[in-house]
Amino acid sequence: MSTYTEDNRKVTTHRLSEMKSRGEKISMLTAYDYSMATLIDQAGMDVILVGDSASNVMAGNTTTLPMTLDQMIYHGQSVVRAVKRALVVVDMPFGTYQGNSIEALASAVRIMKETGADAVKMEGGEEIRESVSRILSAGIPVMGHLGLTPQSINKFGTYAVRAKEESEAQQLIKDAHMLEQLGCFAIVLEKIPAKLAARVAEEVSVPIIGIGAGGGVDGQVLVVHDMLGINKNFSPRFLRRYADLNTIMTNAIKQYIDDVKTRDFPNESEQY
Ligand code: KIV
């Protein structure tokens, strides 16, 4: 299996831009804790996203909305402690940037100061322009996020594919250009038609990272618990499962219970 781990230099926003220029695809995966982030970084991932999907996969909530700034900072600190090579991006949680750009900057500054991450990610287009602009002018790299933006689930009412209608597709293209012009270093496109995503990647100079957005973009992101098969109940069409950790972990845990009950564990060599 070939990987890109031979290059141990720290991944920067500049290097991501170079990767787009030479047509090298960008790999991105979520992580929320030290142990998982260590594995992912050592495997050679380009970007690690401390996603607010922590709300779903770590905390068991049905949406990302309950996530607080303190919780994102805790996860961000745990991941940054582990990572030597990947670029670490921390999601700004719902309610910390949508209303007031001064508060948005204060939230982003806390994330950068308290976690040591490399960048923040924000969901939305025109409606968050002022917050994105203020954060960028403070020298904080911003990754945009358009298409299905889970923090707006109550407005959408569904997790279905976005921007199938022409008017929404046109708005998305406009928003992507706007984020590029403001100075975002990359944009995530979530769950939109592959043709539209490829068009954005073609037109916009910054790297476009897709999740459920097809193969015509500059990189891919998945939620680590989903791609490792830890979650059994989430199987959208875009998800490829690279392992069945649910079965492996359940069997191991059952075996441990059995060994304790039958007094097989601990044996002579497992005690002092
Ligand atoms: O929070 C998250 O995991 C994300 C990815 C799905 C892009 O935003």
Side-chain angles (χ1 to χ4, degrees):
M1 195 181 305
S2 89
T3 64
Y4 293 89
T5 42
E6 303 82 41
D7 187 350
N8 285 325
R9 288 175 303 149
K10 172 81 184 165
V11 179
T12 60
T13 57
H14 180 69
R15 286 190 59 204
L16 295 181
S17 163
E18 288 176 340
M19 287 166 80
K20 172 159 180 147
S21 301
R22 63 172 179 267
E24 179 183 335
K25 298 282 186 185
I26 295 164
S27 59
M28 174 164 150
L29 196 58
T30 66
Y32 319 98
D33 68 89
Y34 178 86
S35 304
M36 193 71 91
T38 301
L39 280 169
I40 295 170
D41 191 48
Q42 288 176 355
M45 194 65 56
D46 296 317
V47 183
I48 295 182
L49 171 66
V50 185
D52 60 357
S53 49
S55 182
N56 308 96
V57 297
M58 301 300 287
N61 295 311
T62 51
T63 74
T64 57
L65 273 65
M67 217 58 196
T68 66
L69 190 55
D70 284 339
Q71 287 167 338
M72 288 309 299
I73 288 171
Y74 166 78
H75 287 296
Q77 288 169 336
S78 309
V79 168
V80 168
R81 257 179 235 125
V83 173
K84 295 191 167 54
R85 178 182 177 276
L87 182 99
V88 179
V89 182
V90 176
D91 256 338
M92 293 190 66
F94 175 67
T96 63
Y97 63 94
Q98 285 91 347
N100 172 327
S101 65
I102 296 177
E103 277 175 24
L105 176 58
S107 309
V109 166
R110 272 201 67 198
I111 290 175
M112 298 301 283
K113 265 188 192 288
E114 296 179 38
T115 69
D118 302 301
V120 297
K121 178 165 79 59
M122 301 165 71
E123 295 183 10
E126 187 54 44
E127 66 281 10
I128 59 159
R129 171 200 270 266
E130 201 181 305
S131 293
V132 173
S133 175
R134 194 179 284 271
I135 291 169
L136 283 165
S137 64
I140 299 172
V142 175
M143 175 179 271
H145 184 156
L146 298 170
L148 176 63
T149 47
Q151 291 177 12
S152 302
I153 185 58
N154 292 316
K155 185 176 89 180
F156 297 148
T158 163
Y159 285 102
V161 177
R162 302 304 311 177
K164 280 162 95 176
E165 303 295 331
E166 186 56 22
S167 60
E168 195 181 337
Q170 287 305 327
Q171 186 59 47
L172 186 142
I173 294 168
K174 232 169 112 186
D175 284 340
H177 282 288
M178 189 245 348
L179 292 173
E180 172 198 28
Q181 275 153 25
L182 285 179
C184 287
F185 72 91
I187 301 169
V188 167
L189 293 183
E190 180 165 353
K191 224 171 172 189
I192 64 167
K195 218 167 142 191
L196 174 62
R199 175 171 168 194
V200 174
E202 179 76 31
E203 283 186 16
V204 168
S205 62
V206 299
I208 301 296
I209 315 290
I211 173 164
V217 291
D218 306 304
Q220 298 293 329
V221 56
L222 286 175
V223 169
V224 66
H225 289 67
D226 300 339
M227 61 84 76
L228 289 179
I230 295 173
N231 295 336
K232 264 212 153 128
N233 303 328
F234 183 65
S235 35
R237 177 167 164 173
F238 68 77
L239 176 63
R240 186 180 293 182
R241 285 218 174 86
Y242 287 83
D244 179 7
L245 287 200
N246 187 296
T247 303
I248 291 171
M249 290 170 82
T250 303
N251 287 345
I253 293 162
K254 279 186 174 164
Q255 183 66 56
Y256 168 67
I257 295 170
D258 209 48
D259 289 352
V260 170
K261 299 282 185 192
T262 60
R263 298 161 201 257
D264 181 81
F265 176 79
N267 63 24
E268 282 299 313
S269 67
E270 290 162 334
Q271 54 192 299
Y272 300 98

